Amino acid sequence: VQQRPAYGIRGMYAHPCWIYKHPFAVRTWKLPDWKRYIDLLAYRKVNLIQIPVMASLVPLPAGAADREYLSLFREVADYARDERGFRGVWFGDAANNVGLANPNQKPIETREYFTSQILRNPADPEGMREIVQSRQLMYESAPNGDAYWVIDSDPGRWPDSLSSEFVRILAENRKLMNRFVR
């Protein structure tokens, strides 16, 4: 059973939202940490990984340190597929969360999830523009995913939001994928 698992796709969701101390906080990992994790998963016959990229914690415009953090996921995907034979690396983020600028901004590895972002109204043109700019960071930084997803279908707890607004968020994400994903 260990050498021939019953299921062809066996996945793990690497959740970086919560702040713990290294090595327990996925968001604190550097490339060697991710490689060790991928190695462990591959040893256990896992062949798919889902990772929230956390572009929604990055204030606009993105600074160099945040862009460097986000670019790590490109290397994680290449390693998982090319070196460990993963069949899939899936990236995603929330529907309408956008990084909140703070003059005392902590590094992304230590930003609190709920206090470092703000929900934007997808019905508001300026809100949608910020949502699109935030998601663009994800697609630019990790253009080599095998799949991309959006979480929160209400969207993102916006009061009285319509289903059509979530569909618009998905359509805007598709445009970004067409532009940046290889």
Side-chain angles (χ1 to χ4, degrees):
V1 171
Q2 287 183 350
Q3 294 306 314
R4 290 192 168 274
Y7 298 98
I9 300 290
R10 297 159 312 279
M12 181 62 73
Y13 182 86
H15 201 296
C17 293
W18 316 127
I19 301 298
Y20 304 109
K21 294 198 182 288
H22 188 272
F24 304 104
V26 173
R27 205 173 343 139
T28 66
W29 290 356
K30 305 297 184 210
L31 187 58
D33 300 306
W34 277 104
K35 286 182 174 182
R36 280 192 298 274
Y37 184 61
I38 297 294
D39 291 345
L40 174 66
L41 294 177
Y43 176 76
R44 299 300 306 154
K45 306 297 184 210
V46 170
N47 59 12
L48 175 128
I49 188 166
Q50 291 190 60
I51 306 170
V53 173
M54 307 305 291
S56 59
L57 292 183
V58 176
L60 301 169
D66 286 335
R67 285 186 178 277
E68 182 179 336
Y69 172 82
L70 294 174
S71 70
L72 170 71
F73 296 107
R74 177 182 305 174
E75 296 178 78
V76 170
D78 286 343
Y79 182 78
R81 264 193 318 274
D82 299 344
E83 301 298 324
R84 294 298 174 248
F86 273 51
R87 292 173 62 177
V89 179
W90 298 0
F91 294 122
D93 211 327
N96 60 324
N97 302 34
V98 175
L100 188 58
N102 179 340
N104 302 315
Q105 193 79 312
K106 295 179 181 178
I108 194 168
E109 295 87 352
T110 58
R111 286 180 204 154
E112 290 294 332
Y113 182 74
F114 289 110
T115 60
S116 297
Q117 59 186 319
I118 188 167
L119 296 175
R120 291 295 185 216
N121 181 356
D124 174 56
E126 179 61 22
M128 182 58 83
R129 184 188 67 72
E130 288 185 37
I131 292 167
V132 170
Q133 281 184 312
S134 180
R135 292 315 156 264
Q136 180 174 330
L137 290 173
M138 177 176 68
Y139 296 111
E140 284 177 334
S141 302
N144 56 342
D146 298 300
Y148 295 88
W149 48 264
V150 174
I151 197 167
D152 295 336
S153 59
D154 48 6
R157 302 181 311 274
W158 193 263
D160 302 318
S161 193
L162 303 173
S163 297
S164 60
E165 293 163 4
F166 185 66
V167 170
R168 178 144 182 253
I169 288 172
L170 295 176
E172 293 296 331
N173 274 268
R174 181 71 239 186
K175 289 177 191 174
L176 291 168
M177 288 172 65
N178 290 345
R179 197 167 145 207
F180 295 103
V181 173
R182 48 181 157 129

